[in-house]
Amino acid sequence: MRDIFDAIQASAKRIKEAIDIKDIGYSQQENSSGETQLELDIKCDMIIEEEFSRVASIHTIASEEKTHEELLHEDGKYFIAYDPLDGSSLIDVNLSVGSIFGIYEGGFGADKMVASCYVVYGPRVEMVFAENKTKLYLLQAGDFEFVKEIRLTEKGKLMAPGGTQQNWAPYHKEMIDGFFKEGYRLRYSGGMVPDLHQILLKGGGLFSYPGTSDKPEGKLRRLFEVFPFAFIYEKSGGEAIDGTQRLLELGCAHVHDTAICFFGSKYETARVKEVYAANA
Ligand code: F6P
């Protein structure tokens, strides 16, 4: 695992440089999720693939930017699904973006996840890596330094409600409105990595991306976004559910499958379970 950890750090440093210097005009290609790919997305994907191809323990990679999985080393045991630059459309307005990595052993699937990691490129570059515990690292003078362990509180104060409100189910809207009436504050940038990072570091709250009338199965991808953050939230003492079930108990039939998702502290996810059970 150490060599994977090192390869992610090497990728993150190179991606930070690419963000700082690269011209970010749109390319004409679409990725597997139907979004227009930025040249920068493609560049970041190549950086990660290059760094991972040097790590013999990695068997196969799957990227949000690639249509198919790619075999790297026949004898490796790890399968890594990654989103090289999540939220990249926020770069032209200079908001934070991130890379997400789900590390699986013996194949892709929530039950095979053994570690998970993300990197936030903001005013600073930070990395969060979860194996048994969740640890925060800060890039300083060219190296990632350990900062602290991350633990969520039982109840938080922040609310990050994803999806177009017009397309929410009435019970979902009522639930989110209820949290705001209780005093929760809105914190939503439209970048999953910084939005979930903020909730983790500021003690807790709820990030939600529900099923909507236009996207009944949600928007966020299971292997690249949902499972990695579910692992990190659980290891930090929080919960990650699809409304009724643990996200890490869901299957994944196709590499680009999405899921309805809620990540948060226990108080907020308990409310979600109550509301969703009553409306199932
Ligand atoms: O997956 C892409 C992404 O940009 C996530 O980073 C983010 O949480 C989500 O989409 C935002 O979606 P929406 O704009 O529909 O709330």
Side-chain angles (χ1 to χ4, degrees):
M1 191 63 76
R2 178 75 224 183
D3 42 6
I4 296 176
F5 186 67
D6 291 345
I8 291 177
Q9 293 191 17
S11 306
K13 292 179 203 170
R14 291 177 62 191
I15 289 174
K16 168 66 180 153
E17 276 170 27
I19 292 171
D20 288 347
I21 60 170
K22 186 80 177 97
D23 162 23
I24 55 159
Y26 282 91
S27 75
Q28 296 309 307
Q29 279 168 270
E30 283 200 346
N31 67 15
S32 307
S33 308
E35 295 157 348
T36 307
Q37 281 176 306
L38 290 171
E39 282 172 41
L40 193 56
D41 287 359
I42 302 165
K43 168 98 181 151
C44 295
D45 186 38
M46 282 165 56
I47 289 173
I48 295 170
E49 182 177 347
E50 213 173 279
E51 294 294 338
F52 282 172
S53 63
R54 299 190 190 122
V55 180
S57 62
I58 303 178
H59 187 283
T60 295
I61 53 171
S63 163
E64 205 255 320
E65 300 301 329
K66 299 184 200 302
T67 320
H68 301 291
E69 301 172 11
E70 227 170 270
L71 172 72
L72 291 186
H73 305 280
E74 198 76 64
D75 296 331
K77 61 175 177 176
Y78 295 113
F79 286 63
I80 305 188
Y82 61 90
D83 187 346
L85 203 59
D86 189 80
S88 54
S89 62
L90 298 174
I91 287 195
D92 55 4
V93 290
N94 206 13
L95 287 176
S96 300
V97 291
S99 305
I100 312 169
F101 305 85
I103 304 164
Y104 304 86
E105 192 171 328
F108 290 114
D111 54 331
K112 297 189 174 71
M113 181 162 262
V114 289
S116 171
C117 177
Y118 68 83
V119 180
V120 196
Y121 310 96
R124 294 169 168 175
V125 178
E126 291 183 326
M127 179 176 79
V128 169
F129 194 93
E131 213 173 337
N132 296 318
K133 293 175 174 172
T134 308
K135 293 179 179 171
L136 172 70
Y137 300 81
L138 171 67
L139 181 63
Q140 252 180 337
D143 284 310
F144 279 95
E145 307 282 349
F146 173 71
V147 179
K148 61 176 181 181
E149 205 185 297
I150 299 177
R151 291 298 294 170
L152 275 162
T153 50
E154 289 281 311
K155 180 180 186 306
K157 295 186 176 134
L158 306 182
M159 207 35 52
T164 309
Q165 293 203 20
Q166 201 183 17
N167 301 332
W168 287 355
Y171 61 87
H172 181 83
K173 177 157 173 43
E174 206 177 302
M175 178 184 77
I176 299 291
D177 289 348
F179 280 119
F180 285 123
K181 279 188 194 129
E182 230 182 272
Y184 282 80
R185 283 173 293 142
L186 176 66
R187 290 291 183 271
Y188 193 77
S189 73
M192 182 183 196
V193 178
D195 287 339
L196 279 161
H197 188 57
Q198 181 164 206
I199 290 175
L200 266 183
L201 289 181
K202 301 252 187 207
L206 184 74
F207 175 100
S208 48
Y209 208 106
T212 51
S213 51
D214 54 334
K215 292 186 179 107
E217 286 307 310
K219 173 183 184 187
L220 302 173
R221 274 65 46 98
R222 293 183 187 210
L223 287 184
F224 315 110
E225 297 172 309
V226 174
F227 294 160
F229 271 108
F231 190 89
I232 288 170
Y233 265 65
E234 286 195 357
K235 293 293 177 193
S236 312
E239 288 191 358
I241 54 172
D242 71 352
T244 51
Q245 208 183 340
R246 271 180 75 224
L247 290 167
L248 291 176
E249 282 168 5
L250 300 181
C252 188
H254 185 269
V255 187
H256 291 276
D257 279 355
T258 60
I260 293 165
C261 52
F262 298 87
F263 306 90
S265 314
K266 291 193 168 144
Y267 173 85
E268 294 82 358
T269 52
R271 171 83 56 80
V272 175
K273 282 187 241 175
E274 256 170 52
V275 171
Y276 272 68
N279 289 281

